[in-house]
Amino acid sequence: MSFEIIGTGRGEPDFRLTNAILEKMVDTSDEWITQRTGISERRVMVDETMRDLALKSAREALKDGGITPDQLGYILFATISGEYRTPSQASILAMDLGVDCAALDLNAACTGFLYGLDMADALFQANKAEYILVVGMEIMSRYLDYTDRRTCILFGDGGGAVLLKKGNGLKAIHASGKGNIDVLNIPNVFPDTPWHKETETRNTIEMNGREVYKFAVGAFLDELNLCLNRAGMTAQDLDLVIPHQANSRIIESARERLGVSEETFINQVADRGNTSAGSIPLLLDELNRSGKLKKGMMLGLVAFGGGLTSAGAILEWTKE
Ligand code: ACO
């Protein structure tokens, strides 16, 4: 017995950073961005805070699931862009919800949300909680160099929350990693101390896009196939695949190799760009609220990201 999803919520900023705006900021073009990534615009937090958007997402998920905050056993918050080093974004959310449950942040970059589900699975198996809230949210815009055209066109802000309850929805889940600093990193810049002079000046993302791309396509298929295998299923048994939204070409390439139809794969990179740990919970909420998720549907979730990390899951949608 592990878990099922009983509620979802999301938080998205209002400001739309379009390719047309980026064309005026760096040497790029709508054509280049659309062809290479599929992205047309991304949302950026201007007046909003992660704290407010996380609270909104959590309240929506709790309402959708029909429970009160005091019933939560854990809050797992996947993010690499929390507002404080301490307290964690999860602790801030617990405080704002008025609950005293265990709360912690998870850093697995774009794979963070699925790592959160993996941790939740273990907690349910150990009988540690009846309900767990898993949030994935980012303010990637604060870690971008808007003079670097290789990275600033890719990312956006926002995320969502899912409420999990003990149940039989989860059919398989797997998380893995392949440590690598060079391919994708955001260093910390520490203040000088009497004993140490800081030499690092960059606290924005640096990425070797081609290497991430290669890793992504392989990891995507490995994770999904491994989970399908464990669940005793094939790709044809999946009603929907909800992949991390990084790049249309990565999603499309994985879809073709799996040999499933376009309708099976959710590809909404165009509207939001890459929201890192936020992308899958955002989509889960959007699909849930628009009535596209029907009871009994089999979902494949898959993500890859900095670390390097990757993860997959097969989940039956059990909600009416
Ligand atoms: N506009 C115009 N030209 C550009 C831009 C831009 N925004 N960015 C790069 N170029 C140029 C490069 O300078 C290069 O020019 P050159 O040939 O004269 O040197 C040319 O375009 C090709 O550059 P590449 O980097 O080889 O382009 P590529 O086809 O690999 O596409 C991209 C780059 C879109 C980044 C792709 O590699 C990719 O999507 N990789 C995966 C990235 C990803 O998913 N990252 C998220 C990781 S998840 C996480 O945890 C944060």
Side-chain angles (χ1 to χ4, degrees):
M1 165 87 81
S2 183
F3 66 74
E4 57 193 25
I5 295 178
I6 60 164
T8 65
R10 72 180 188 271
E12 290 194 276
D14 291 332
F15 176 58
R16 292 163 190 265
L17 177 59
T18 61
N19 290 353
I21 298 172
L22 284 168
E23 277 178 344
K24 295 190 190 117
M25 295 169 65
V26 284
D27 181 14
T28 191
S29 65
D30 175 49
E31 191 191 0
W32 192 97
I33 301 172
T34 313
Q35 276 180 5
R36 304 275 180 138
T37 70
I39 302 168
S40 301
E41 61 179 43
R42 5 26 229 129
R43 303 289 186 97
V44 171
M45 289 190 207
V46 179
D47 298 321
E48 303 90 348
T49 63
M50 187 189 275
R51 180 176 174 178
D52 291 341
L53 293 183
L55 182 60
K56 173 184 177 285
S57 311
R59 283 190 173 140
E60 284 176 3
L62 290 165
K63 188 171 177 213
D64 191 27
I67 72 153
T68 50
D70 56 294
Q71 291 176 269
L72 289 174
Y74 279 80
I75 297 176
L76 304 177
F77 201 125
T79 189
I80 55 169
S81 50
E83 289 163 331
Y84 290 81
R85 178 146 304 272
T86 190
S88 68
Q89 204 69 43
S91 293
I92 295 171
L93 179 57
M95 177 182 77
D96 288 341
L97 287 170
V99 290
D100 289 334
C101 70
L104 72 151
D105 286 0
L106 262 165
N107 176 342
C110 303
T111 319
F113 177 73
L114 290 191
Y115 266 54
L117 294 188
D118 192 43
M119 298 297 109
D121 173 39
L123 291 167
F124 281 119
Q125 304 266 10
N127 268 320
K128 292 273 205 173
E130 288 296 317
Y131 298 98
I132 297 177
L133 189 72
V134 182
V135 187
M137 189 170 282
E138 304 284 6
I139 324 180
M140 293 305 290
S141 60
R142 305 286 159 85
Y143 291 97
L144 292 172
D145 172 356
Y146 281 97
T147 65
D148 177 8
R149 67 178 183 176
R150 295 167 305 139
T151 51
C152 75
I153 55 138
L154 296 173
F155 297 93
D157 301 342
V162 298
L163 178 62
L164 309 178
K165 174 181 181 272
K166 264 190 188 170
N168 293 316
L170 186 70
K171 304 301 174 200
I173 190 157
H174 180 261
S176 60
K178 197 183 172 91
N180 185 311
I181 298 176
D182 297 336
V183 169
L184 199 164
N185 66 63
I186 306 174
N188 278 322
V189 179
F190 298 110
D192 288 347
T193 69
W195 308 278
H196 176 78
K197 174 104 178 79
E198 180 63 282
T199 52
E200 182 62 67
T201 54
R202 170 175 62 87
N203 64 348
T204 50
I205 195 163
E206 180 67 44
M207 185 182 70
N208 181 331
R210 289 221 165 154
E211 288 303 315
V212 175
Y213 195 102
K214 272 192 259 170
F215 169 73
V217 177
F220 204 118
L221 292 168
D222 289 350
E223 296 292 352
L224 214 46
N225 283 328
L226 193 147
C227 288
L228 284 167
N229 204 20
R230 284 193 181 173
M233 294 180 193
T234 68
Q236 278 62 38
D237 295 320
L238 296 174
D239 296 296
L240 273 185
V241 177
I242 306 175
H244 166 51
Q245 306 283 300
N247 181 319
S248 275
R249 285 193 298 154
I250 295 174
I251 296 174
E252 198 39 33
S253 157
R255 184 190 69 74
E256 279 173 13
R257 290 187 203 197
L258 269 180
V260 298
S261 69
E262 271 181 42
E263 298 73 53
T264 313
F265 257 65
I266 303 293
N267 182 350
Q268 292 191 352
V269 171
D271 301 335
R272 299 191 175 106
N274 181 347
T275 54
S276 186
S279 77
I280 293 178
L282 264 172
L283 283 177
L284 280 169
D285 183 62
E286 193 167 58
L287 293 164
N288 176 26
R289 283 176 198 276
S290 62
K292 296 207 173 94
L293 297 177
K294 308 275 184 235
K295 191 175 172 171
M297 271 185 158
M298 208 54 81
L299 311 180
L301 311 179
V302 61
F304 60 87
L308 297 166
T309 54
S310 59
I314 310 287
L315 187 83
E316 184 180 348
W317 189 256
T318 51
K319 202 170 148 48
E320 290 292 344

